Amino acid sequence: MKTKFFNVAGFPSVIGCIDGRHIPIQSPGGDNAELFRNRKGYFSINVQVVCDADLKLINIVSRWPGSTHDSTIFNASFVRAQLEAKELGSGYLLGDSAYPCRPYLMTPVANPATAAEHRYNSSHIKTRNIAERAIGVWKRRFPCLSLGLRTTINTTLSVIVATAILNNLAIIPDDHIDDVDDFGEAEDQAIEENPNALGNAVRNTIIDTYFN
């Protein structure tokens, strides 16, 4: 899978791309209804997905109301705990600027100042675009995800996950899977003063090593 991602735009050791998507719903009613109203003004479930290079949705979190920020969903997710514990091996998820930069989650450089940083951002964007494509394929295959779901909340959450599973079953996988050498891991230590500091250090090492 790392090879497939690398072949897109030369970004090393990517194990998945992460993104959030709002699935429209009808107002659930009750005292907590406004929690489901997102920043664009409509009611939704904010769904977090991780996709692989074959456009499969390999991880999905479907339980947060639309007003919840993407970073909050990620910080509370099981996949984040797995990455923190190194249970998924070495490598990185790619996410947009809505996510925190971590040693296992690479985000774009906010204000690129060097040619290497511009090349890093270009490669990051092209590779992360796979998540946009994966979600687009999923929503086109199941138009209810774009038009909106009018079922109860519990049923809605189940429908979202079920369509993700059916979407994966409809994708024909590539039988040939190679691997590449793992990129050297960054120093394993916590930097409490700045939670992004270790992630930024890893990102800078990638920029210097691969994009300089």
Side-chain angles (χ1 to χ4, degrees):
M1 192 56 61
K2 291 178 183 178
T3 300
K4 290 182 178 181
F5 276 118
F6 184 82
N7 289 339
V8 174
F11 205 105
S13 295
V14 178
I15 59 175
C17 294
I18 187 170
D19 202 0
R21 191 61 85 243
H22 287 274
I23 305 299
I25 62 170
Q26 66 179 356
S27 172
D31 296 336
N32 296 323
E34 285 303 310
L35 290 175
F36 291 85
R37 192 185 298 276
N38 61 37
R39 59 186 176 81
K40 294 185 177 180
Y42 63 89
F43 295 99
S44 67
I45 302 295
N46 192 358
V47 180
Q48 174 183 285
V49 298
V50 178
C51 74
D52 66 15
D54 295 321
L55 305 184
K56 285 191 173 183
L57 309 178
I58 57 177
N59 185 277
I60 184 168
V61 178
S62 173
R63 60 188 177 89
W64 290 86
S67 63
T68 311
H69 194 273
D70 290 352
S71 62
T72 300
I73 298 174
F74 175 73
N75 287 331
S77 67
F78 183 56
V79 71
R80 185 230 178 181
Q82 289 179 300
L83 290 163
E84 291 273 4
K86 303 186 186 302
E87 294 178 2
L88 302 180
S90 62
Y92 320 108
L93 295 181
L94 298 188
D96 61 23
S97 57
Y99 295 97
C101 185
R102 295 289 186 265
Y104 45 78
L105 174 54
M106 292 294 102
T107 58
V109 176
N111 297 296
T114 67
E117 289 178 345
H118 281 286
R119 285 193 290 268
Y120 166 90
N121 273 5
S122 177
S123 176
H124 187 286
I125 291 169
K126 289 177 182 177
T127 307
R128 196 184 76 239
N129 184 253
I130 290 177
E132 297 286 341
R133 290 171 53 206
I135 293 171
V137 168
W138 176 37
K139 294 181 76 172
R140 283 194 299 274
R141 185 169 277 134
F142 296 96
C144 62
L145 301 177
S146 296
L147 298 175
L149 295 165
R150 302 184 62 80
T151 51
T152 64
I153 288 296
N154 287 340
T155 300
T156 293
L157 303 184
S158 297
V159 168
I160 293 170
V161 174
T163 57
I165 294 170
L166 293 171
N167 178 73
N168 286 352
L169 293 174
I171 295 174
I172 300 174
D174 186 346
D175 292 330
H176 180 69
I177 298 178
D178 276 329
D179 200 0
V180 294
D181 292 336
D182 291 334
F183 181 70
E185 294 183 4
E187 184 178 359
D188 186 15
Q189 63 180 17
I191 302 180
E192 296 180 357
E193 297 81 3
N194 180 1
N196 283 346
L198 187 54
N200 290 341
V202 173
R203 184 172 65 187
N204 289 339
T205 301
I206 294 173
I207 291 170
D208 290 341
T209 304
Y210 285 90
F211 297 99
N212 231 337

